[in-house]
Amino acid sequence: MTPQPPLHACRLYDDGDRETFGAPGLLFPWWSVTKTAIAICALRLAEQGRLDLDAPLPDQPFTLHQLLTHRAGLPDYGSLPSYHAAVRADEAPWPRDVLVEAVLAQGQLFAPGQGWRYSNLGYLLARERIEAVTGRGLGELVAALIAAPLGLDSVGLAQTRAQFAQTPWPGARRYHPGWVYHGCLIGTAPDAARMMQALFAGRLLRTESLSRMRKTHPLGGALPGRPWTEHGYATGLMSGRAGAAGRAIGHSGAGPFSVNAVYHFSDLPRPVTVACFTDGGDEGVAEHAAVRLALAG
């Protein structure tokens, strides 16, 4: 049998019961689960009247909401071979403007609002917008709007190699978190589960904001190697169905050396949020583990 990668996970029920698997105090890169945090911050700021999600960004044809839902028509740096080569070589991250120019050279993919394409560049621009409006960095905003209210003491924005070296995966020693241009949070598996569970429990956003965040753009059915039987994207959230587990909403993440999946399963007799972190580069491994843990409860 193929050996299973080490799994660090937390299963958090809506009634407050919690189970942990692996080492609960270890810090892990959250990768694209950071997108959920960025979207929460944007919606919180909109509730405060500091942002208009539906107004075009200054000198741009797309809105913040279109960026957060991957509907702005922007390409992604994941398609650049030179980007991946630089990461493999453990180079220093490119200056922001160099990265943006290289990505935009691929051309606009569609008119804003007229399609869907996953874009990390879009989340860089979303991050910059909320930072510009508030005059505060993403790390400060996550701390003030999410981590502090929920008591998520482990959560922070990784900005240096030394911070990433706190994570257990050996590959982290040869990676600068600046390569994740929209930002990469680090934190424990239990704190990832607590953030996602609190979001759907209504502890971070007003009812109308959470409803808008959950509104899903459908993208299709099953995906090879992954547990989805129906999938789509909401606002900073992957959303769909995962077979017998029913509705699943949250986010997966992947980097050069580790993957994760943090999802809320509301259809189960006992609703549960599961956060799974493991090594490797296949998001499907973490997603399948999350579904197994959700069903085993």
Side-chain angles (χ1 to χ4, degrees):
M1 292 180 61
T2 302
Q4 293 295 311
L7 179 69
H8 301 269
C10 177
R11 183 163 56 196
L12 178 61
Y13 294 97
D14 282 6
D15 59 17
D17 284 355
R18 187 174 84 182
E19 299 173 84
T20 57
F21 308 83
L26 289 180
L27 299 176
F28 301 101
W30 285 15
W31 302 122
S32 283
V33 175
T34 305
K35 291 182 172 71
T36 303
I38 292 172
I40 292 169
C41 289
L43 286 159
R44 286 286 305 276
L45 293 169
E47 289 177 349
Q48 297 169 9
R50 304 178 71 182
L51 276 176
D52 183 345
L53 298 176
D54 299 312
L57 269 66
D59 302 317
Q60 298 292 351
F62 43 74
T63 68
L64 181 56
H65 187 252
Q66 288 167 339
L67 292 174
L68 296 172
T69 55
H70 298 297
R71 303 201 67 202
L74 294 174
D76 183 38
Y77 54 74
S79 61
L80 298 174
S82 56
Y83 170 88
H84 294 287
V87 171
R88 286 194 300 271
D90 194 27
E91 295 179 10
W94 301 338
R96 179 264 188 204
D97 289 348
V98 171
L99 181 280
V100 172
E101 182 179 359
V103 177
L104 292 181
Q106 300 175 88
Q108 186 86 8
L109 302 179
F110 49 82
Q114 300 304 305
W116 187 92
R117 182 67 66 88
Y118 195 90
S119 176
N120 288 297
L121 174 62
Y123 264 78
L124 166 62
L125 300 182
R127 170 188 175 171
E128 290 178 340
R129 180 59 178 158
I130 65 176
E131 289 181 332
V133 166
T134 62
R136 304 173 76 181
L138 177 61
E140 292 180 81
L141 289 167
V142 169
L145 300 177
I146 301 173
L150 299 178
L152 308 183
D153 296 333
S154 75
V155 179
L157 183 67
Q159 300 182 81
T160 68
R161 291 179 183 273
Q163 287 173 299
F164 237 48
Q166 300 175 68
T167 67
W169 312 125
R173 312 306 188 268
R174 282 180 47 82
Y175 187 85
H176 194 298
W179 283 114
V180 185
Y181 282 84
H182 60 64
C184 183
L185 295 173
I186 57 174
T188 64
D191 276 357
R194 291 173 64 199
M195 181 187 78
M196 203 68 74
Q197 196 276 337
L199 172 63
F200 296 114
R203 295 173 57 199
L204 290 172
L205 296 173
R206 297 173 186 166
T207 301
E208 58 271 23
S209 297
L210 180 56
S211 178
R212 181 173 193 180
M213 189 174 185
R214 294 184 63 141
K215 186 176 180 181
T216 300
H217 180 74
L219 297 171
L223 292 171
R226 300 174 75 168
W228 299 101
T229 52
E230 175 185 305
H231 72 285
Y233 202 88
T235 303
L237 294 165
M238 295 179 174
S239 177
R241 301 185 70 85
R247 284 175 290 183
I249 186 165
H251 219 293
S252 303
F257 53 84
S258 72
V259 292
N260 58 61
V262 186
Y263 286 92
H264 181 66
F265 299 87
S266 61
D267 282 352
L268 296 174
R270 196 180 180 198
V272 65
T273 303
V274 180
C276 291
F277 293 79
T278 189
D279 59 4
D282 184 355
E283 287 174 295
V285 172
E287 291 172 346
H288 276 294
V291 171
R292 286 196 301 271
L293 286 176
L295 290 171

